[in-house]
Each structure stands twice: as C-alpha cells, then as structure tokens.
Amino acid sequence: MASNRKNLRLAILISGGGTNLQAILDRCAAGLLPAKVVVVAADRPDAYGLTRARRAGVPSHVVDYSRYLSGAMDSRISPELEVLAESLDSRQRILRESDRPKRLRRLVRLLLAENEMIRVIESGQPDYLCLAGFMRLVTPHFLAHFHGARPWRVLNIHPALLPAFPGRRGYEDTFDYGCKWGGVTVHFVDEGEDTGPILAQAVYPIWPDEDLEAVRSRGLELEYELYSQCIRWLWDERVEVRRREDGRWFTVIHDPSYPRILKEWVDRAMSSASGS
Ligand code: GAR
C-alpha cells in the first residue's frame, strides 16, 4: 500500500546502549522499514547509542541534562522561562521537591535543557519522535511543542506489559514479581509516566530457573520487532487514536494482518525459549 509515499522521518532519543536505535537503523538500511532516522539525541555524553548513530551517518547530539540541572547553564535563564515554570508547576510530575522555590528553580533548568533538546530534534524536521531507552520523563511544555501542529507524535517503548510496572525498571520489576509472562509495550507519550495510549504489546514466557538477563534478552528481541511494526503502521496510516466517553484515549490498528502479526510474535517468543 502507498509504496510511493515518502519515508517517515524519525528523531530518536536515547540514554544508553541504543540497541533499539540500532534495530531501527538496521531495518531502515535493509529496506525493511519505510523510515529514515534523521537525528539522534542523548541526554548524557556517554550514551553508546551516539556511536551507533555516528557509524550510521546520522547526525547525533548530546544535551547534557545533568549540566543544566546542576546549574552550570543558569546564565541562560530568562524571565519568560520563570513564568513558564510557574504555570507548569501544578501539571509536571517529574520534580518532587516539597520546597516550592527550590522546585521552581529546578524546573526552570529542566525547561532550559528541554528547549535545547527541542532545537536539536527540530533540526531534523521529524514526523515522529521515538523515545528508545530515553530514561527521562518529559514536561507538558516539551509535549505541547510536538503536539502543537498534530497530536500524538511522540512514541515510547517500555519493557513491561503496561499498565503493570511503569518506570525505569520494567524487566527487573517483572522478574522480581515472579511473573510467568513478560511483555513489552509501544505507546504514545502523554503527560503521565508511561500512561499514554497503547499502540501495541507483545508477550513472552518466563520459564522456571531463568535469570533476569535471559528475560531481558528475550524481551529486547521483541522490542525490536514491536517498535518497527508500530512505525510501519504509522507510515501506513493504520493507527487511529480515539477518545472514549470517559475521556481516556486509546488506539485502534486498522490492519487485517494484525492477528497474524501478534501470533508471529508469540510463536517467536515461545520458540526462542527452551521451556525445559
Ligand atoms: C529498553 O529495554 C527500553 O525498553 C527501556 O530501556 C532499554 C533501552 O535499551 N526503556 C525504559 O525502561 C523506559 N522507561 P537500548 O538502549 O539498548 O535500546
């Protein structure tokens, strides 16, 4: 369908190793994904994914959040930013300091970091922004920027079957709880922590005597498949975001192959595990 349509332009945000980034780059290079990674950015200079981006010839940038948050960039604070921080304070869920002036100072710094990140991302003029192991929540200011012209442009991959185990430790929490099935989720990003409308999920079995690393590696293989498939559905314009009467947003995938694709994921996850 629509084979003459342009590739989707993707900006990818990372914080670490970037194997999800690599999987997307590889599928694009092999012609398996109608997408082009136009910019990669990390919130820390030691993210190995930056090297992956450079190797693939993709512009890569560091926006060092810890320098902003420590106050090293305070000279760039403007009165407008302070007003913005005041107006966002009741909606943001990232900073929890009880001391309000202290919290506002930190929020201003976070907004400075986000403004630089926004500039970097926009340099690639992406259609979608994909968080791929980006270990930070974003503020309503950041989201409003990307949702201004067209909503639901920011995606995230999460290593658990949401709404179970949100946060930074999806595999650890799944494993520690003693789950018999693990899962991975791609969702649109909203103002909450891993609460946005789910695009797709895949599950995998966790066999007795398996350790956390076995679980993580099985989950990651599924992450690579799931993220690429979601990007393909977006390119194909098969993703509809609807609002229920109670106000909650959810998605519908209009693809007759949907049950077959789900079955393939489950079959693959089952066969990659011995179960004995
Ligand atoms: C992935 O498992 C991803 O789902 C997870 O971080 C890992 C990044 O791996 N993301 C989160 O936990 C977000 N809360 P990668 O850098 O090798 O792609």
Side-chain angles (χ1 to χ4, degrees):
M1 171 171 159
S3 57
N4 58 353
R5 195 146 8 106
K6 281 200 309 197
N7 285 344
L8 275 191
R9 297 173 66 83
L10 305 178
I12 302 198
L13 297 196
I14 56 167
S15 295
T19 62
N20 271 286
L21 164 67
Q22 188 70 58
I24 292 170
L25 288 168
D26 290 347
R27 283 163 174 75
C28 292
L32 298 171
L33 195 56
K36 177 179 162 74
V37 180
V38 288
V39 60
V40 169
D43 62 337
R44 44 191 301 162
D46 59 351
Y48 181 70
L50 291 165
T51 305
R52 298 179 188 275
R54 278 195 290 275
R55 274 196 207 133
V58 176
S60 62
H61 304 264
V62 178
V63 178
D64 193 341
Y65 276 53
S66 63
R67 286 199 67 211
Y68 279 102
L69 292 173
S70 69
M73 317 290 233
D74 268 1
S75 59
R76 300 193 201 166
I77 293 174
S78 66
E80 290 79 14
L81 220 49
E82 285 171 344
V83 172
L84 179 63
E86 295 256 355
S87 73
L88 288 176
D89 186 40
S90 61
R91 274 164 67 203
Q92 65 87 22
R93 292 157 200 245
I94 304 174
L95 305 172
R96 310 231 164 130
E97 280 102 336
S98 53
D99 179 326
R100 188 164 186 271
K102 219 169 152 186
R103 190 173 66 238
L104 283 176
R105 271 201 302 281
R106 245 179 111 68
L107 182 53
V108 165
R109 291 172 183 163
L110 180 58
L111 292 172
L112 269 178
E114 287 196 333
N115 279 345
E116 188 189 340
M117 188 57 104
I118 289 169
R119 276 196 296 279
V120 159
I121 294 165
E122 288 298 1
S123 69
Q125 297 183 294
D127 298 308
Y128 285 93
L129 170 58
C130 300
L131 312 188
F134 185 66
M135 295 303 192
R136 287 185 184 277
L137 300 178
V138 297
T139 69
H141 165 67
F142 183 91
L143 271 186
H145 174 87
F146 290 103
H147 288 169
R150 181 164 55 86
W152 310 118
R153 282 179 64 207
V154 185
L155 299 154
N156 181 41
I157 183 137
H158 183 74
L161 201 61
L162 292 173
F165 311 129
R168 302 165 64 101
R169 293 172 36 89
Y171 288 122
E172 289 85 344
D173 291 345
T174 302
F175 182 76
D176 291 347
Y177 200 87
C179 294
K180 305 302 182 198
W181 290 84
V184 295
T185 304
V186 170
H187 65 96
F188 287 116
V189 175
D190 69 3
E191 291 185 11
E193 181 174 21
D194 300 323
T195 51
I198 290 171
L199 271 116
Q201 296 181 300
V203 293
Y204 59 88
I206 300 173
W207 303 110
D209 302 329
E210 276 190 324
D211 63 10
L212 173 60
E213 284 321 304
V215 169
R216 190 195 307 279
S217 89
R218 187 164 316 121
L220 275 167
E221 288 302 323
L222 269 182
E223 288 190 35
Y224 308 150
E225 290 300 319
L226 187 75
Y227 221 168
S228 293
Q229 181 59 61
C230 288
I231 292 165
R232 173 172 287 281
W233 277 325
L234 287 167
W235 176 81
D236 247 350
E237 297 177 355
R238 292 183 185 275
V239 181
E240 184 192 354
V241 187
R242 284 193 203 156
R243 193 165 201 180
R244 279 200 325 229
E245 272 175 20
D246 64 3
R248 175 167 275 283
W249 295 92
F250 68 103
T251 71
V252 181
I253 307 290
H254 297 282
D255 183 356
S257 308
Y258 182 72
R260 178 185 54 74
I261 291 168
L262 253 59
K263 184 172 181 313
E264 274 173 20
W265 288 338
V266 175
D267 288 350
R268 191 164 326 151
M270 289 297 286
S271 64
S272 72
S274 71
S276 55

